Amino acid sequence: MAINPFIFGRIVTGEDFCPRPDAERALRSCLATRRNTLILGPRRVGKSSLIFQSCSARPVSRLIYAQLWAVKSLEDLAARMVRGMSSAAATPSMLQRLGGLLASLRPKIEFDPVTGAPSLTLAAGMAASPREIHGVFDALESLSAGGRLVVALDEFQDVALLPDADALIGEIRGRIQRQSDVTYLFAGSIRHRLEGLFTHPGSPFFKAVEVLEVGGLDDALFRNYLRERFERGKRRTDDAFLDSVLDTADRIPSDVQQLCSSLWEVTREKQTLGPADLGAGIGRLIAGRRGTYEAMVHPLTDIQMRVLRTVARRGGQEPQSRGFIEESGVRLPASIKRALLRLSELEMLFNDRGIWRFFDPFFRAWIRSA
Ligand SMILES: Nc1ncnc2c1ncn2[C@@H]1O[C@H](COP(=O)(O)OP(=O)(O)OP(=O)(O)O)[C@@H](O)[C@H]1O
Ligand SMILES: [Mg+2]
């Protein structure tokens, strides 16, 4: 029996990566010409996977990847970058060289208890100042000499929240202004914070990077990818069914895969999948989250709840329209607006170019069914 082939919540590459030719071509072209690039896109759309996939072939010789999600201090940042450098060091001698380059941070070599693989770590409590961070970036440049090194700083928006953000931003700005062998990729999903760093006139990296917007996958390519996986388990699907799967999951690749994984679990071999299975697949997903969803809506006011339900049922375009007002029963447009802002502060909704959308399409499905 085939095992569930749907993957979500982690980086996918190679065989697991559904081609996205435009984005891959755009990023590869930036890499080939060593242009520093900002990859901007909604959550769970596949930004990190795109980085790994595009850096897995020439001309990139090595990718150093650091995830900066909720980074708290310069020490934390240095530790994450050292971890990225350490996992990119393919041989013990490279690791040793890296240890030498980072000597001022007094790194330790540790061995993975299971695989025995060595890695470098920084001692906890090490006090990193901007000078040490300078050392980390120097080490990166020494490592890259002669090769094509790519440094990816993922969830970069969170550096803006660091107490020492200015020192770090100054450091990186200095690096990318100087021509070097290192190509920097920045990625993240919190648009307004990234725009504050990169695209507003007066922001520290204004016009210093290429901006690459990543949206959903191409429908036809994604349907092929999904159909082929269902067929591995002898489950038949047609375009109309797969389109309804894409619609239900708002075309967010990770959520589509999660829904397909659930569909796989509620169906059997030799079955042709249809609307009843979709209902069962969504039901299975929602059942596991009911507690979380109930806790999320518990503190909402009556007006906020009405607005949320109306966005779930009719969509979040034109919330000031007569139709929205009638359906929600909230008479004052100003109250609707206030509720929408509160719902976005609570990270239930976000405004996507004028349209209010749910962050979590399964939460929307739950609200609709409740
Ligand atoms: N090219 C792809 N082909 C198939 N699935 C993909 C692809 N890209 C992303 N996914 C799906 O999305 C999930 C998350 O991918 P990834 O971590 O790259 O997204 P992200 O945009 O970096 O997410 P986050 O906002 O959480 O950082 C994957 O586990 C997979 O389910
Ligand atoms: Mg990511």
Side-chain angles (χ1 to χ4, degrees):
M1 218 166 53
I3 57 161
N4 191 328
F6 297 102
I7 300 172
F8 53 91
R10 64 180 165 83
I11 285 161
V12 288
T13 54
E15 213 270 314
D16 297 321
F17 186 89
C18 172
R20 46 188 336 156
D22 293 348
E24 289 176 71
R25 200 175 309 116
L27 185 52
R28 287 221 165 96
S29 142
C30 292
L31 294 170
T33 50
R34 303 182 191 229
R35 273 170 291 158
N36 302 306
T37 305
L38 167 66
I39 298 161
L40 192 60
R43 288 186 192 168
R44 307 188 302 282
V45 83
K47 304 171 295 297
S48 306
S49 299
L50 176 67
I51 292 176
F52 276 84
Q53 180 72 4
S54 306
C55 291
S56 63
R58 286 163 62 79
V60 176
S61 56
R62 223 173 308 145
L63 167 65
I64 290 178
Y65 173 85
Q67 165 71 265
L68 303 183
W69 176 257
V71 63
K72 290 289 182 257
S73 60
L74 284 187
E75 289 89 75
D76 188 9
L77 176 101
R80 293 185 198 205
M81 293 193 58
V82 168
R83 209 178 307 138
M85 286 194 253
S86 163
S87 28
T91 60
S93 71
M94 275 167 66
L95 203 63
Q96 208 135 43
R97 181 161 160 244
L98 182 62
L101 289 169
L102 294 167
S104 67
L105 294 174
R106 283 176 284 117
K108 283 190 311 204
I109 292 200
E110 280 183 355
F111 296 90
D112 184 291
V114 181
T115 64
S119 66
L120 279 187
T121 55
L122 297 184
M126 173 214 60
S129 67
R131 196 162 57 92
E132 268 86 37
I133 295 297
H134 193 72
V136 170
F137 281 90
D138 276 347
L140 279 177
E141 292 197 357
S142 314
L143 276 184
S144 86
R148 285 288 188 101
L149 184 73
V150 174
V151 174
L153 301 176
D154 204 352
E155 305 293 356
F156 189 72
Q157 72 271 339
D158 284 6
V159 306
L161 305 178
L162 277 177
D164 308 298
D166 288 348
L168 178 68
I169 287 167
E171 175 70 41
I172 299 176
R173 195 162 68 159
R175 301 275 163 179
I176 64 179
Q177 277 170 347
R178 232 178 314 127
Q179 278 288 322
S180 82
D181 290 333
V182 184
T183 308
Y184 286 93
L185 300 182
F186 306 91
S189 53
I190 303 185
R191 182 173 281 272
H192 64 270
R193 235 187 278 152
L194 283 164
E195 285 175 345
L197 286 168
F198 288 93
T199 59
H200 288 160
S203 56
F205 300 111
F206 184 55
K207 293 199 170 156
V209 298
E210 189 101 348
V211 180
L212 176 61
E213 297 250 0
V214 182
L217 297 166
D218 174 77
D219 276 3
L221 291 174
F222 204 11
R223 279 196 307 258
N224 284 344
Y225 171 99
L226 299 170
R227 178 178 304 112
E228 193 269 322
R229 278 161 180 72
F230 278 119
E231 275 167 10
R232 286 185 201 171
K234 302 193 173 62
R235 287 149 171 86
R236 280 183 299 268
T237 53
D238 61 18
D239 280 358
F241 174 78
L242 291 174
D243 274 334
S244 59
V245 170
L246 294 179
D247 283 341
T248 306
D250 273 350
R251 292 181 157 65
I252 301 166
S254 185
D255 294 337
V256 171
Q257 291 238 39
Q258 190 166 10
L259 178 54
C260 289
S261 172
S262 180
L263 280 164
W264 176 282
E265 298 299 334
V266 298
T267 52
R268 291 182 311 280
E269 291 190 355
K270 308 223 171 85
Q271 218 178 307
T272 299
L273 274 50
D277 302 305
L278 182 58
I282 298 169
R284 181 178 171 280
L285 269 183
I286 288 176
R289 301 169 176 209
R290 182 159 294 134
T292 312
Y293 290 162
E294 281 172 359
M296 281 165 70
V297 298
H298 187 72
L300 298 184
T301 64
D302 178 49
I303 288 182
Q304 289 160 358
M305 195 63 216
R306 284 165 184 271
V307 169
L308 190 65
R309 203 175 288 128
T310 312
V311 174
R313 296 206 173 133
R314 84 192 305 267
Q317 62 288 344
E318 301 185 348
Q320 315 279 318
S321 67
R322 175 119 53 100
F324 194 100
I325 290 173
E326 277 170 12
E327 194 167 332
S328 64
V330 180
R331 266 176 299 136
L332 291 175
S335 309
I336 295 178
K337 193 167 171 198
R338 232 183 350 257
L340 287 167
L341 290 177
R342 182 66 192 139
L343 293 166
S344 80
E345 279 167 14
L346 293 168
E347 301 203 333
M348 294 182 195
L349 302 181
F350 67 103
N351 192 295
D352 176 19
R353 283 160 265 211
I355 301 177
W356 291 94
R357 297 187 190 282
F358 277 75
F359 269 117
D360 174 358
F362 307 125
F363 179 52
R364 185 193 59 199
W366 179 75
I367 296 276
R368 277 160 86 146
S369 69

